[in-house]
């Protein structure tokens, strides 16, 4: 019986570079959707689904935190060390806690972009920038 391509690498915890790049691109899309998908005309302010969800009391901030935890889980699967995972979880905690404060939390969500911060931690771990994600694959 022939093993599927990449099975050994995945079992050993090694992710092929092409697959890692696809995962990082997916994470970047989610982070953009959650934090900076929409620009406010005439300003440099951008917001995303996290800010919109935050308008719904309790449930909205919890939903944003769940998406953030999914990003953290993918970072764990990509092999980030524990101290970086802890930093990412703290970013989500700060975002959820401060974002849950009525009115002030909505303003806070415009400026504290936990998903983008966490993406930066992941990319930094791999020595990449967001620009690298958009380069053609070699």
């Amino acid at each position: 019986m022939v093993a599927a391509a990449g099975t050994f690498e995945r079992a050993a915890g090694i992710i092929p570079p092409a697959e890692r790049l696809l995962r990082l691109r997916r994470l970047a899309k989610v982070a953009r959707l959650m934090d900076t998908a929409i620009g406010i005309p005439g300003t440099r302010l951008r917001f995303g689904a996290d800010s919109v969800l935050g308008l719904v009391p309790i449930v909205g901030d919890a939903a944003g935190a769940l998406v953030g935890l999914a990003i953290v889980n993918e970072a764990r699967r990509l092999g980030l060390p524990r101290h970086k995972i802890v930093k990412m979880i703290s970013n989500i905690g700060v975002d959820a806690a401060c974002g849950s404060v009525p009115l002030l939390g909505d303003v806070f969500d415009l400026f504290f972009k936990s998903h983008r911060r966490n993406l930066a931690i992941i990319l930094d771990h791999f020595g990449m920038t967001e620009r690298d994600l958009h380069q053609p694959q070699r």
Side-chain angles (χ1 to χ4, degrees), residues 54 61 95-107:
D61 291 306
D95 188 22
C98 293
S100 66
V101 175
L103 298 177
L104 291 177
D106 299 324
V107 174

Side-chain angles (χ1 to χ4, degrees), residues 27 30-31 67-76 88 115 118 122:
L27 290 175
V30 171
V67 172
L69 289 174
I71 292 172
V72 170
N73 186 52
E74 185 65 17
R76 181 194 58 79
M88 293 172 70
H115 303 90
N118 287 345
I122 296 168

Side-chain angles (χ1 to χ4, degrees), residues 6-34:
T7 303
F8 175 76
E9 289 87 357
R10 286 188 198 98
I14 301 168
I15 299 170
E19 183 177 336
R20 182 177 65 214
L21 182 60
L22 288 174
R23 289 180 179 193
L24 292 173
R25 285 177 175 165
R26 193 174 324 127
L27 290 175
K29 287 178 186 177
V30 171
R32 182 180 180 279
L33 173 70
M34 292 301 290

Side-chain angles (χ1 to χ4, degrees), residues 34 50 53-70 92 95-97 99-100 109 115:
M34 292 301 290
D50 193 33
L53 286 170
L55 295 173
V56 180
I58 302 169
V59 176
D61 291 306
L66 286 175
V67 172
L69 289 174
I92 294 167
D95 188 22
S100 66
D109 274 340
H115 303 90

